[in-house]
Amino acid sequence: MLYNRDRLLALMDKFDLSGVVAATPENVYYLSGHASWSQNGYRYGGSQVYVVFPRDTAQSPALLIPGGDVGYAALDDVWLKEAYTYGRPRKHHVPDMGKLSPEERRTVEITEGEPKGPTPEKALARLIKDKGMGRGRIGMDHFGIPLTIYETIGSFLPEAKLQPASSFFRYVRMIKTPGEIQRLRESAALNEQAINAMLRAAKPGVKESELAGIYKGEVAKAGGQVYWMHMAVSRGGNFPAIKDKVLQKGDIFRVDMGCSINGYHADVCKSGCVGAEPTADHRKRYDAVQAGVLKSVEALKPGARPQDLYETMVQGVRAAGIPNYSNFFLGHTIGLEAREFPFLIGPAEEVNDPFLPNTTNIPMEPGMTVNLEASSHEVGWGTVQVEYTLAVTESGHEHLIKPDQKLFTLPLQ
């Protein structure tokens, strides 16, 4: 189990919720361990998956899935064992139960009963009533429920009050459990390994697309999914790999790669020079950015506020050699989503949501996880960037992977 049960129940009490319904892939996974293939395969409402989680601890949470998801819900990684289907019955003919694998036996168990309903809307309404939530205030993960389906669910629950509450889940997930932090640590390490495999091939004459293919392959081997690949080769800013662009000796090289492995995101960058030692100007820019980011890393502890951390970084970069330096942020939080509340680490922004504080400038707390990063872009020259993945602890902070941020000469040896 990965989710923060105590925090979940406490926040349901705070906001007077009789229960919540998870519907986005991130929140379904958070509460159940179930990674639905159909939610990704049939996006935009084609497949609905839910976790119904009652506030009443006498009622157990339950997973509601389409029949095609049963094999995935039968895996050991899924810790929520109360599961139901909707749609047409999919009963299995089993001549000999003794010949079944544990996963197959579990699929039979899930499909033994009748589906909760012919449609996801009717099935969810019935499950909500079964869990004693039919007359309560229910936090709905509305980001994962198309409007027409949301309205239909409400029509089947006339005595309940449905409250759009995807931000509620984000607020719960803001403080990570030790199990989540371990997942983030593993994801960051695997992402860095994939990037290093790519950097070992980063030499003059190699196409950018070849490097991108190496990275994608390494992430795939780890069972992950790539979400972004910023590759700036002697160009300033965020760009994808340019298909036929060939690396040249002396190229200013910077990559910033993001993926998700075992459900949790990782974001790692590297900077260097292709086939040659970095120039004095290249090194000066990189060293200044790194000095500023490390100042903010030193200041990361419980009670530190995002805006103060950001201003510490900017002042540090300016003092270290880029007097006119400016940037709009110092990175972001990270977890099941690439950016979680309070999203960006930067100047304070107002928040208008019933389940969140009214500002992003909230104090850091133990269990929060962040990527502190900064970059310096110059169009026509290139980009340098520094980034560290950290968790806030009771006494300060910890790096989730060994800090390996320096200006590399490529290919990596």
Side-chain angles (χ1 to χ4, degrees):
M1 181 173 83
L2 292 169
Y3 70 92
N4 193 329
R5 185 176 184 274
D6 290 343
R7 182 172 174 84
L8 174 66
L9 295 176
L11 288 176
M12 278 198 270
D13 285 341
K14 177 180 178 179
F15 293 110
D16 190 28
L17 296 175
S18 62
V20 293
V21 174
T24 58
E26 293 82 5
N27 292 327
V28 168
Y29 186 79
Y30 181 67
L31 292 181
S32 70
H34 176 58
S36 168
W37 73 269
S38 64
Q39 274 189 303
N40 288 319
Y42 306 121
R43 296 184 182 184
Y44 313 118
S47 175
Q48 291 287 286
V49 176
Y50 305 113
V51 172
V52 176
F53 201 110
R55 173 60 189 89
D56 183 357
T57 55
Q59 296 279 1
S60 57
L63 179 65
L64 181 63
I65 55 176
D69 260 15
V70 171
Y72 288 70
L75 301 178
D76 286 341
D77 291 342
V78 179
W79 55 81
L80 201 60
K81 296 307 179 185
E82 188 174 335
Y84 305 97
T85 63
Y86 63 81
R88 297 172 182 169
R90 299 195 182 196
K91 294 186 181 297
H92 297 277
H93 173 65
V94 185
D96 185 354
M97 286 287 289
K99 293 182 177 181
L100 301 186
S101 66
E103 296 81 10
E104 288 176 311
R105 283 197 295 273
R106 178 65 178 143
T107 64
V108 172
E109 291 171 3
I110 294 173
T111 56
E112 271 183 340
E114 290 297 316
K116 279 290 179 183
T119 67
E121 301 96 319
K122 290 184 177 179
L124 178 59
R126 179 181 169 188
L127 184 54
I128 285 172
K129 292 176 182 177
D130 290 349
K131 295 297 178 182
M133 297 160 48
R135 296 181 179 180
R137 186 168 182 257
I138 304 169
M140 302 290 289
D141 189 10
H142 63 293
F143 289 170
I145 308 174
L147 180 60
T148 53
I149 292 179
Y150 190 95
E151 291 175 343
T152 303
I153 294 168
S155 72
F156 294 140
L157 296 165
E159 296 182 274
K161 182 178 180 181
L162 305 189
Q163 181 74 37
S166 288
S167 291
F168 170 85
F169 288 93
R170 281 177 164 165
Y171 198 36
V172 173
R173 289 176 12 225
M174 184 181 79
I175 306 300
K176 307 298 186 290
T177 62
E180 289 185 278
I181 291 173
Q182 180 60 26
R183 290 279 183 106
L184 286 162
R185 181 179 287 111
E186 293 167 357
S187 296
L190 289 166
N191 193 27
E192 182 158 278
Q193 290 172 24
I195 291 173
N196 286 343
M198 175 184 65
L199 295 184
R200 285 192 285 272
K203 56 187 177 182
V206 173
K207 291 182 179 180
E208 292 182 20
S209 57
E210 293 178 60
L211 298 180
I214 292 171
Y215 173 72
K216 289 179 180 178
E218 292 296 317
V219 172
K221 287 179 188 177
Q225 181 177 352
V226 175
Y227 280 92
W228 68 87
M229 296 190 304
H230 301 323
M231 188 177 294
V233 184
S234 292
R235 49 187 184 264
N238 288 339
F239 294 88
I242 297 177
K243 184 177 180 181
D244 295 323
K245 186 74 179 293
V246 176
L247 270 61
Q248 306 293 326
K249 185 176 181 178
D251 271 336
I252 306 300
F253 189 92
R254 166 265 193 176
V255 292
D256 180 11
M257 308 302 217
C259 65
S260 176
I261 300 172
N262 292 325
Y264 283 78
H265 275 264
D267 182 7
V268 176
C269 81
K270 300 287 182 179
S271 297
C273 186
V274 178
E277 287 291 322
T279 65
D281 182 52
H282 192 176
R283 193 169 296 283
K284 176 183 177 182
R285 288 172 185 258
Y286 181 86
D287 289 348
V289 171
Q290 186 178 50
V293 175
L294 287 176
K295 287 287 186 183
S296 67
V297 170
E298 291 174 9
L300 180 64
K301 60 184 179 180
R305 293 181 182 267
Q307 182 166 308
D308 295 335
L309 294 170
Y310 160 77
E311 291 173 352
T312 296
M313 178 274 295
V314 172
Q315 292 167 9
V317 176
R318 289 174 178 172
I322 308 180
N324 62 345
Y325 182 79
S326 65
N327 200 336
F328 71 95
F329 83 144
L330 171 67
H332 50 89
T333 47
I334 193 165
L336 279 164
E337 293 180 88
R339 292 178 178 178
E340 304 195 326
F341 187 78
F343 313 119
L344 300 185
I345 308 298
E349 296 182 2
E350 291 184 3
V351 177
N352 183 18
D353 188 283
F355 294 108
L356 295 176
N358 61 9
T359 178
T360 58
N361 198 33
I362 61 171
M364 294 286 109
E365 296 183 48
M368 293 178 71
T369 47
V370 297
N371 269 54
L372 297 187
E373 61 175 311
S375 59
S376 177
H377 308 296
E378 183 178 315
V379 177
W381 179 80
T383 302
V384 293
Q385 182 179 350
V386 175
E387 184 166 22
Y388 298 96
T389 303
L390 306 117
V392 181
T393 64
E394 295 287 346
S395 59
H397 63 267
E398 66 169 328
H399 288 271
L400 295 192
I401 55 174
K402 180 182 177 181
D404 190 24
Q405 293 289 303
K406 57 187 175 183
L407 199 54
F408 294 97
T409 298
L410 302 175
L412 197 65
Q413 301 301 312

